[in-house]
Amino acid sequence: MKTKISTLLLLPFFALLMFTSCQQEVVEISPPADSEALSASSPLTALMSSASKMDGSKDNIIDNASCLSIELPVTVVVNGLEIIIDSEEDYKVIEAIFNEFEEDDDYLEIIFPITIITEEHDDIVINNAAELKEFVDECKGENENDDDIECIDFKYPISFSVYDVNFQVVDVITVENDRQLYKFLKRVKNSDFLASLNFPVTMLLSDGTELVVNNNEELENTINDAKDACDEDDDNDYGDDDFTKERLDEYLQICPWVVHEFKRNNQDNTVAYKEYALNFKEDGVVRMRARNGDILTGTWSTRVTKRGALLKMEFDTLADFTLEWIVYDIEYGKIKLYEEGGNRIIMKKNCDVVIDITKERIENYLQECLWRVARLQVDGTNNEKDYIGTPLKFFANNIVKIRINGEFVNGEYEIGVRNSGFFLQIFLQDRPNLKLEWLITFLEPGLIKLENENNQMILRRHCPDGDDDINYIEDVLLTWEWEVALYKDGDVNKTEDYFMYTIDFLENGWIKVTDPNNGIIDGNWLAYRHEGLHLGMHYGIEPPFQVLNHRWKIAEITQNRIELKDLSANGEIERILVLEKKE
């Protein structure tokens, strides 16, 4: 029998006792070619050793050191909360606690004793923080590359053939993990036995790709090609994803970004800059849209330093944003910027935001589909319930209509420009709350936010066409007459209040309720989708139906039964309303 091997290193026989081995019959082989012969100090041996070192960067959020790792489980106190870390997934728990509040000072305390694992796979018991600091200080500085290669790994098990000076195989050593491989390689110096890596060997890249290599030269080239091909995350800035300049540039340009929090020089300016939108362009130009619609143009650039990834913005007329910011945390759809001295920006990605607002664009948005009043606060009073089931429809030539009891009532609207930006004014009979001059502060295809002084209004687009769920709900409602089978407010059952009433959902959003004496109550309804399916109903002020004026969440709907729920802010059920087909 012949085995394809390459002479790799010399090995003392006593080292073989550390590994799983099986005695083989003596194998007659040919001496390897000079090009395949490697010494213990060869480049390939050094590369294999670096690839098998322990990677200590995964738990940097605990120990701030990439050259060592803490053996799990370990108990830590994070911002006063004691938790047990028994898996790598729990590192995310620590990060979540750190990110819970933006303004607090995060701290982590380790409960000793602990066991650390060095990059050479040695286990050392540490009894206190001072002992740990000594080992941490021996690591290279933060954000510097360490010696281990993390972008490529061996697919274990692998094996080495060990043979004597007469090229007779005396053993085959099987290596099951990085620890065994590193220890194996460490003992090759000053050895009297020959050993060779048995090919083929499969290598694993960081993206999961598998590569098969067949000799020493291929193995050396493969490791060299891959060693710098990934982000090893060797710094202590656990939340920044270690973006390269290219990746950061691409991430910033993918969509507009909307400001959600802003702090400059320890002063909270969130109120002033909230919902400002920034668009980072390829040519180093950043376009910013203020809430009043003003467009500001500045420049931006990025670089990656030992401090981490940096984003520099410059505006001639906006000094608060003009700074080189540290990109200190990146989450899905969110980016956080920081600089010493109490400076912080939190931005969220929003691909629907329109930076360059024009009067024509506002008119086009308004004339798309219907719009429902999702929020209306005037003089400190919430008035949105008055508009449940009564959507608005904007037309060309400044015509606006509101749907009441199944019919559209005509009115007018105007889009204008003031020094403060674009405004929307609505003129509808008996609707004075809408007549205010509303400053358009936020615009995207499905959402318009309006403000004036202390008043706020939010309009959400309603396009039922093409939504199969909404069409099904409407068909069910229109097909039958209904009655209240259950109305429960908290723990109180109030179903009997609705005995003998008949509810008839009519086309165009009209509700007609017939009481036991054949009286009529008129109302409005609208089935819509927003974070789930809802049925908005408004019966005016007529008892007992006035308490049912609400945007109910549809929990279940069939041809014969509709279950609706009123949920609190924390998701708890406060009221239940069940409608059943009237026989």
Side-chain angles (χ1 to χ4, degrees):
M1 171 174 82
K2 297 230 178 183
T3 303
K4 186 177 181 182
I5 57 178
S6 298
T7 302
L8 177 64
L9 39 90
L10 300 176
L11 177 70
F13 183 78
F14 67 85
L16 305 182
L17 300 178
M18 295 184 57
F19 305 99
T20 303
S21 64
C22 57
Q23 185 66 39
Q24 300 267 337
E25 61 177 316
V26 175
V27 178
E28 182 182 353
I29 62 174
S30 300
D34 291 341
S35 60
E36 294 291 329
L38 295 174
S39 69
S41 59
S42 70
L44 177 56
T45 306
L47 288 172
M48 294 176 65
S49 180
S50 294
S52 61
K53 280 187 175 182
M54 194 280 306
D55 172 25
S57 62
K58 293 180 180 179
D59 64 350
N60 283 3
I61 195 170
I62 298 178
D63 57 27
N64 295 325
S66 295
C67 69
L68 60 87
S69 185
I70 296 177
E71 186 177 78
L72 302 180
V74 61
T75 301
V76 296
V77 179
V78 185
N79 290 357
L81 179 65
E82 183 174 303
I83 58 176
I84 298 175
I85 306 299
D86 54 17
S87 71
E88 293 182 4
E89 284 296 314
D90 291 337
Y91 300 149
K92 297 179 182 178
V93 176
I94 300 175
E95 184 175 351
I97 295 173
F98 281 172
N99 291 337
E100 183 175 7
F101 301 103
E102 301 296 338
E103 303 298 330
D104 62 342
D105 295 324
D106 297 318
Y107 71 90
L108 181 146
E109 177 186 355
I110 301 173
I111 304 301
F112 294 92
I114 61 172
T115 298
I116 65 170
I117 307 169
T118 69
E119 61 183 356
E120 297 183 347
H121 298 280
D122 294 327
D123 297 339
I124 302 174
V125 176
I126 303 296
N127 295 298
N128 53 57
E131 290 183 14
L132 178 61
K133 185 176 185 301
E134 292 180 7
F135 283 91
V136 173
D137 289 345
E138 292 179 3
C139 293
K140 291 188 175 182
E142 181 186 345
N143 295 319
E144 293 185 12
N145 293 328
D146 51 14
D147 294 330
D148 68 293
I149 297 174
E150 301 160 30
C151 299
I152 190 168
D153 292 294
F154 288 88
K155 184 176 182 179
Y156 296 103
I158 60 175
S159 67
F160 293 85
S161 293
V162 181
Y163 46 95
D164 60 21
V165 293
N166 295 318
F167 294 102
Q168 291 184 322
V169 174
V170 296
D171 211 345
V172 174
I173 307 301
T174 300
V175 175
E176 300 285 350
N177 52 51
D178 281 347
R179 187 187 192 102
Q180 290 183 3
L181 178 58
Y182 186 84
K183 296 293 186 181
F184 184 89
L185 298 174
K186 187 176 181 181
R187 287 167 173 79
V188 303
K189 294 180 180 180
N190 303 318
S191 57
D192 296 327
F193 286 81
L194 299 174
S196 301
L197 179 61
N198 294 331
F199 292 95
V201 171
T202 300
M203 306 300 292
L204 297 174
L205 300 181
S206 58
D207 62 1
T209 301
E210 295 188 1
L211 300 176
V212 177
V213 296
N214 297 291
N215 53 55
N216 288 348
E217 183 179 2
E218 285 185 19
L219 179 59
E220 182 175 352
N221 292 337
T222 299
I223 297 177
N224 273 321
D225 290 344
K227 66 180 181 179
D228 297 320
C230 72
D231 176 14
E232 296 191 349
D233 199 18
D234 283 331
D235 63 28
N236 299 332
D237 196 359
Y238 52 87
D240 68 350
D241 289 341
D242 290 330
F243 271 31
T244 63
K245 173 178 170 55
E246 292 74 18
R247 290 177 62 204
L248 179 58
D249 289 352
E250 181 180 353
Y251 191 63
L252 288 170
Q253 295 173 61
I254 193 170
C255 280
W257 294 85
V258 178
V259 175
H260 280 255
E261 293 186 28
F262 192 97
K263 188 175 182 180
R264 187 69 196 266
N265 299 327
N266 282 316
Q267 181 176 347
D268 190 348
N269 292 330
T270 299
V271 173
Y273 295 118
K274 188 175 178 63
E275 295 182 347
Y276 273 49
L278 293 87
N279 192 10
F280 297 91
K281 296 181 174 292
E282 292 183 0
D283 54 5
V285 172
V286 56
R287 299 265 288 171
M288 176 185 291
R289 192 203 71 200
R291 281 204 313 252
N292 62 7
D294 286 348
I295 302 297
L296 305 175
T297 301
T299 61
W300 70 282
S301 61
T302 61
R303 61 191 182 110
V304 177
T305 70
K306 291 183 178 181
R307 297 181 70 202
L310 305 179
L311 168 62
K312 185 176 183 180
M313 291 187 286
E314 294 183 284
F315 293 89
D316 291 337
T317 58
L318 201 61
D320 283 348
F321 282 80
T322 300
L323 192 67
E324 187 166 43
W325 303 84
I326 299 174
V327 182
Y328 82 94
D329 196 11
I330 292 175
E331 303 171 13
Y332 179 76
K334 180 188 290 186
I335 188 168
K336 300 180 181 180
L337 309 176
Y338 166 84
E339 185 50 88
E340 294 180 357
N343 304 291
R344 177 180 287 123
I345 304 177
I346 298 178
M347 300 187 297
K348 294 183 180 180
K349 182 177 69 175
N350 191 328
C351 298
D352 292 327
V353 166
V354 179
I355 300 298
D356 298 324
I357 298 179
T358 64
K359 181 178 178 180
E360 292 73 20
R361 182 166 285 169
I362 297 172
E363 289 176 341
N364 290 336
Y365 280 157
L366 286 174
Q367 292 170 29
E368 292 178 355
C369 304
L370 301 172
W371 292 85
R372 61 181 184 85
V373 180
R375 180 182 301 173
L376 179 61
Q377 186 177 58
V378 177
D379 297 330
T381 302
N382 292 325
N383 302 102
E384 57 260 27
K385 275 194 173 183
D386 296 338
Y387 294 88
I388 294 176
T390 59
L392 300 166
K393 176 66 176 174
F394 295 88
F395 298 88
N397 302 321
N398 300 104
I399 300 298
V400 62
K401 298 182 180 182
I402 186 169
R403 194 178 71 187
I404 301 175
N405 296 339
E407 296 182 358
F408 281 102
V409 178
N410 289 350
E412 296 179 351
Y413 73 98
E414 180 185 356
I415 298 172
V417 181
R418 298 277 189 268
N419 292 333
S420 55
F422 290 96
F423 70 87
L424 169 65
Q425 193 164 16
I426 300 173
F427 304 90
L428 282 166
Q429 186 176 359
D430 300 326
R431 300 285 170 166
N433 290 334
L434 299 183
K435 190 177 179 180
L436 301 173
E437 187 175 291
W438 298 95
L439 180 67
I440 299 173
T441 60
F442 193 78
L443 177 69
E444 61 183 57
L447 175 69
I448 298 176
K449 294 186 179 181
L450 307 117
E451 295 181 6
N452 60 68
E453 298 179 357
N454 297 322
N455 307 316
Q456 295 181 338
M457 179 162 61
I458 295 178
L459 301 178
R460 291 191 178 275
R461 187 173 60 181
H462 175 63
C463 300
D465 293 342
D467 191 321
D468 292 338
D469 292 331
I470 297 299
N471 292 335
Y472 174 78
I473 294 168
E474 292 178 346
D475 288 342
V476 170
L477 291 171
L478 295 171
T479 301
W480 314 108
E481 293 182 337
W482 302 84
E483 61 184 358
V484 176
L486 174 66
Y487 175 57
K488 191 175 181 181
D489 188 350
D491 295 328
V492 181
N493 191 323
K494 299 183 178 181
T495 308
E496 64 180 16
D497 293 346
Y498 302 91
F499 181 66
M500 295 291 290
Y501 283 91
T502 300
I503 304 173
D504 196 3
F505 293 90
L506 303 175
E507 291 186 9
N508 299 324
W510 177 25
I511 301 177
K512 184 175 72 172
V513 180
T514 306
D515 67 23
N517 298 317
N518 293 319
I520 300 296
I521 300 174
D522 288 324
N524 301 283
W525 68 275
L526 182 71
Y528 65 93
R529 183 189 297 276
H530 175 63
E531 297 179 354
L533 296 170
H534 296 263
L535 176 60
M537 297 186 293
H538 192 278
Y539 299 90
I541 60 174
E542 296 291 334
F545 278 84
Q546 84 283 1
V547 298
L548 303 185
N549 296 339
H550 188 65
R551 296 182 175 95
W552 297 86
K553 183 175 181 62
I554 299 175
E556 182 181 352
I557 182 167
T558 67
Q559 287 291 333
N560 303 315
R561 184 177 184 274
I562 305 169
E563 182 177 337
L564 308 170
K565 294 181 179 180
D566 176 16
L567 304 180
S568 64
N570 58 10
E572 295 181 355
I573 300 174
E574 295 186 337
R575 295 187 296 167
I576 297 176
L577 174 64
V578 177
L579 304 179
E580 291 185 352
K581 184 180 75 170
K582 190 176 181 66
E583 299 296 341

